Amino acid sequence: MRLMVEFTTEPFELVTFPDHAAAARRVVDEAGLAVSVGPFGTSAEGEAEQVLAAVSRLLHDTLDAGASRISVQVSVLPETEPQAPEGVDTQ
């Protein structure tokens, strides 16, 4: 099963990249997740065990780095059917 985690750490700092945000990014990068950074948060996806382990570490590391609030949402990604290479008949 593949999961996606979306997270935001606070407090927001517009002038610098806060230590808690750097810690969060480091965790998902080191977990080997596919990361997408948006204007209000970051999302990362990977296999369930990989994502769940990263979420636990993300919570610990960002709190240790000064986060006062962490918002997290975990979603199950839909299973996709394997696609045959173009021009190959699967019937």
Side-chain angles (χ1 to χ4, degrees):
M1 171 185 344
R2 290 187 60 81
L3 299 178
M4 178 175 63
V5 60
E6 298 172 273
F7 60 90
T8 304
T9 61
E10 298 178 34
F12 297 115
E13 294 179 27
L14 299 177
V15 178
T16 64
F17 195 67
D19 290 342
H20 56 82
R25 179 59 193 261
R26 184 174 49 255
V27 166
V28 294
D29 283 342
E30 289 176 0
L33 302 176
V35 179
S36 176
V37 178
F40 300 107
T42 302
S43 63
E45 62 182 72
E47 294 302 317
E49 289 304 314
Q50 184 183 26
V51 170
L52 295 173
V55 168
S56 177
R57 185 171 163 219
L58 184 143
L59 294 172
H60 286 91
D61 288 8
T62 56
L63 289 171
D64 288 346
S68 60
R69 179 182 176 126
I70 307 159
S71 301
V72 176
Q73 178 174 305
V74 177
S75 302
V76 176
L77 295 174
E79 295 293 326
T80 58
E81 293 293 322
Q83 301 293 317
E86 196 170 310
V88 175
D89 188 3
T90 58
Q91 294 183 0

